[in-house]
Amino acid sequence: MELLSEHACFGGVQRFYQHASHEIGLPMRFSVFLPSAPSIEAAGGKVPALVYLAGLTCNEETFMTKAGAQRLAAHHGLALIAPDTSPRGANIPGESDSWDFGLAAGFYLDATQPPWAKHYRMESYLMRELLPLLTSALPLDKRRLGIFGHSMGGHGALTLALKHPGVFKSLSALAPICAPTQCTWGEKAFGGYLGLDRALWAQHDASALMAAQAQAPYPGGILIDQGEADKFLPNQLHPHLFEAACKKAGQPLALHRHPGYDHGYYFISTFMPGHIAHHAHALAA
């Protein structure tokens, strides 16, 4: 890992890294916040960590600079991890033509269709490479990991947590894409990355994955916050479908709907304290 920059932050340290990814086949960037040295010592040398997956058009810096999460994480003795949202430098024709597909829009899955399949392997990158790398190189407790995200990243958090049981002990999302097989964002991304087989699409749909659960995967509860003034709510996000799937699976879900709030980081920063507290409580158990 190459340390690109380091900044003192709420008694801890905010770092930005780059490394050569073998899963992606390109350099990848990510950011990490570590709480203070006394917090790490008090935790026995390894602290719980939260993985945050950002949304469309974002990168590894967006969450760390806009969400106001470090102060909250420092208070609870938590580390924060924010990967990038797609490969960079693949130079695929058309990669930058759309804001909702290609660059900064990797959807946290492994593409199967050319030309995307070679580099767009975000699921394998996160689960098989980045998390093992960070939990071995930094003072992070791999037994106490949580995951959350926003919009496309909320989709990623929900699906990765459901597809990889036991890896994450806590789960939440802010304005997530809850049923990508039933919205234009998902149809565009899944059609391009995965082809026309909708059975394969369902393997990356949080509502479909939850509905297929034999028992509640997170008996302590899942937290979702959704702004009711979010312009993407009616046609893209469909939290009611995930709510119905949770009911079918017996999964406790706190779905909070907030009048007046939109889709952006003013909304995210407003409700960040509840998400950090949700994870801190689960990861302290």
Side-chain angles (χ1 to χ4, degrees):
M1 302 189 307
E2 177 188 0
L3 181 63
L4 300 177
S5 65
E6 182 175 273
H7 315 273
C9 186
F10 293 102
V13 60
Q14 176 65 57
R15 294 174 178 169
F16 295 90
Y17 291 94
Q18 179 173 285
H19 74 128
S21 168
H22 61 80
E23 288 288 349
I24 299 293
L26 295 165
M28 290 293 290
R29 294 191 176 194
F30 59 90
S31 57
V32 176
F33 168 77
L34 293 173
S36 66
S39 295
I40 296 173
E41 292 171 4
K46 290 183 178 292
V47 293
L50 303 183
V51 179
Y52 178 86
L53 304 182
L56 294 164
T57 77
C58 296
N59 60 26
E60 77 285 354
E61 295 185 6
T62 312
F63 170 73
M64 296 300 190
T65 57
K66 290 186 175 183
Q70 292 95 332
R71 175 179 61 84
L72 302 163
H75 173 74
H76 289 285
L78 302 174
L80 301 170
I81 301 166
D84 204 348
T85 53
S86 80
R88 308 275 174 169
N91 298 319
I92 296 172
E95 185 180 36
S96 302
D97 289 355
S98 301
W99 67 276
D100 55 357
F101 180 76
L103 196 66
F107 271 80
Y108 304 104
L109 51 76
D110 288 354
T112 61
Q113 299 298 300
W116 311 99
K118 181 177 180 181
H119 296 299
Y120 277 68
R121 297 176 46 78
M122 291 299 292
E123 180 176 354
S124 289
Y125 169 66
L126 292 171
M127 304 306 300
R128 298 171 56 182
E129 183 173 12
L130 185 62
L131 287 180
L133 172 65
L134 295 186
T135 54
S136 63
L138 297 175
L140 308 178
D141 188 347
K142 66 180 181 180
R143 301 167 301 172
R144 292 190 292 164
L145 298 176
I147 190 167
F148 66 144
H150 168 239
S151 193
M152 177 186 72
H155 143 77
L158 295 174
T159 56
L160 293 180
L162 294 173
K163 291 183 68 180
H164 300 272
V167 175
F168 302 106
K169 306 304 180 187
S170 56
L171 173 61
S172 73
L174 297 116
I177 305 171
C178 289
T181 61
Q182 300 185 52
C183 71
T184 56
W185 278 346
E187 289 176 348
K188 182 176 182 177
F190 289 3
Y193 294 139
L194 303 175
L196 301 180
D197 184 355
R198 284 184 170 264
L200 183 58
W201 293 15
Q203 298 174 23
H204 302 277
D205 183 303
S207 296
L209 289 168
M210 180 59 75
Q213 298 294 314
Q215 59 185 15
Y218 287 88
I222 297 171
L223 170 64
I224 292 179
D225 281 291
Q226 174 63 61
E228 290 189 332
D230 187 329
K231 66 181 181 180
F232 302 116
L233 175 58
N235 298 318
Q236 302 287 9
L237 304 180
H238 301 319
H240 65 287
L241 296 179
F242 188 72
E243 185 177 36
C246 285
K247 184 177 181 179
K248 179 181 179 182
Q251 169 62 53
L253 172 68
L255 173 55
H256 299 152
R257 296 174 170 90
H258 305 282
Y261 285 91
D262 61 19
H263 196 68
Y265 268 84
Y266 297 114
F267 154 70
I268 292 170
S269 60
T270 298
F271 298 103
M272 188 54 54
H275 284 259
I276 298 297
H278 168 82
H279 290 278
H281 175 75
L283 298 179

